[in-house]
Amino acid sequence: MFVDLNSDLGESFGSWKMGNDDQILPVVTSANIACGFHAGDPLGILKTLRKAVELNVTIGAHVSYPDLVGFGRRNMDVSRDELIADVLYQISALDGLAKVAGSHVQYVKPHGALYNTIAHDQVQAAAVIDAIKMYNPELVLVALAGSHLVEQARAAGLKVVSEAFADRAYNSDGSLVSRRLDGAVLHDSAFVARRVVSMLKNGGVESIDGIFTPIQADTICLHGDTAGALEMSAAIKAELLNHHIEIRPFVLKHEEVRNV
């Protein structure tokens, strides 16, 4: 058994600091790096990319609605053509900087409101899928486990990885509990670490209302901006290794399948 660990990084903007990139990068195997639409400035993004390359961490484009003020967490009713162009712009920009840093973008993970919207909105989902295919059809899409997007993207010919969240509570339908509600974000490191292992071994988690909810987790997201994020990340990694669950990039799985 193995699993990928990912985190949202490169989100600082000028003198405003977000997350703990230097401390989180040694723990994860995949880095979802901001592309400037919801967070991140060019210098900070480039520094994060170089650190990821130094640590041999896989690079992904963390694309978003154009929403710096709202940190990409506000829903937007954008046209299909506009969304395609927005996603293309972000992947292209990050891939260009990644090449300078000595690597390249290998996957795409939408951020915030865009991530949650395309989990159920087939029109916006199709726009994101088409943008990825236009840029590079070999890129992997990271999608919310159990969402309609997983099958929609696969039917369109994309490789898809199902993602679960270590520190987020789930509704019984497999969706994430809104951050506006109490209990949406978990903070007990030991509990979260045990929950991640249980998720992988038992194929699901207990929802916020106490119902077992099936969840397939190929990659686990560790939020670097959550209170106690470093302690939580270390606890999760230690618990996985204690249960002999290997931690490695999900892109290796797809490369192995392609080479069979």
Side-chain angles (χ1 to χ4, degrees):
M1 182 179 291
F2 71 89
V3 71
D4 173 80
L5 298 179
N6 76 75
S7 188
D8 305 340
L9 304 168
E11 293 180 323
S12 295
F13 193 89
S15 60
W16 181 77
K17 301 301 179 185
M18 167 64 81
N20 302 278
D21 289 13
D22 287 344
Q23 290 75 34
I24 292 291
L25 271 168
V27 177
V28 300
T29 42
S30 297
N32 323 312
I33 300 182
C35 304
F37 267 39
H38 77 279
D41 61 68
L43 179 58
I45 292 170
L46 183 57
K47 286 181 177 178
T48 301
L49 284 165
R50 284 175 169 157
K51 186 68 175 179
V53 171
E54 176 187 330
L55 295 172
N56 198 30
V57 174
T58 303
I59 292 168
H62 202 30
V63 301
S64 168
Y65 291 128
D67 182 27
L68 274 174
V69 174
F71 198 66
R73 288 180 176 160
R74 299 183 293 188
N75 291 322
M76 290 189 172
D77 183 15
V78 298
S79 70
R80 167 184 165 78
D81 289 346
E82 184 178 1
L83 185 52
I84 288 174
D86 284 348
V87 173
L88 280 171
Y89 185 95
Q90 292 175 83
I91 299 173
S92 302
L94 190 71
D95 200 28
L97 287 174
K99 288 177 181 176
V100 171
S103 188
H104 61 284
V105 169
Q106 292 186 261
Y107 69 93
V108 175
K109 176 188 168 181
H111 165 82
L114 180 60
Y115 181 94
N116 290 321
T117 296
I118 65 174
H120 60 82
D121 186 321
Q122 295 183 41
V123 175
Q124 287 204 15
V128 172
I129 291 167
D130 286 348
I132 294 170
K133 291 175 68 176
M134 286 177 190
Y135 187 81
N136 180 359
E138 291 300 311
L139 292 177
V140 180
L141 173 64
V142 174
L144 179 65
S147 68
H148 186 276
L149 177 61
V150 174
E151 293 309 317
Q152 184 178 353
R154 284 177 178 157
L158 281 184
K159 305 178 186 72
V160 184
V161 163
S162 295
E163 178 182 44
F165 291 79
D167 62 349
R168 294 292 304 277
Y170 280 84
N171 295 307
S172 56
D173 64 355
S175 63
L176 298 174
V177 174
S178 171
R179 286 179 177 269
R180 299 186 183 93
L181 301 178
D182 291 339
V185 181
L186 311 176
H187 298 285
D188 185 323
S189 297
F191 170 77
V192 169
R194 292 193 301 270
R195 183 171 178 263
V196 168
V197 170
S198 176
M199 183 188 301
L200 295 171
K201 289 198 167 185
N202 299 322
V205 296
E206 186 177 291
S207 70
I208 196 167
D209 48 359
I211 299 172
F212 180 79
T213 303
I215 293 175
Q216 177 190 351
D218 299 315
T219 182
I220 304 290
C221 181
L222 311 179
H223 282 119
D225 58 337
T226 301
L230 298 181
E231 177 186 352
M232 186 178 295
S233 299
I236 291 169
K237 185 172 184 177
E239 191 75 1
L240 289 171
L241 296 177
N242 284 342
H243 285 81
H244 308 290
I245 299 174
E246 184 183 356
I247 302 169
R248 59 170 169 155
F250 60 75
V251 293
L252 292 180
K253 178 179 179 181
H254 287 286
E255 288 172 0
E256 289 168 357
V257 170
R258 189 163 59 246
N259 292 331
V260 170

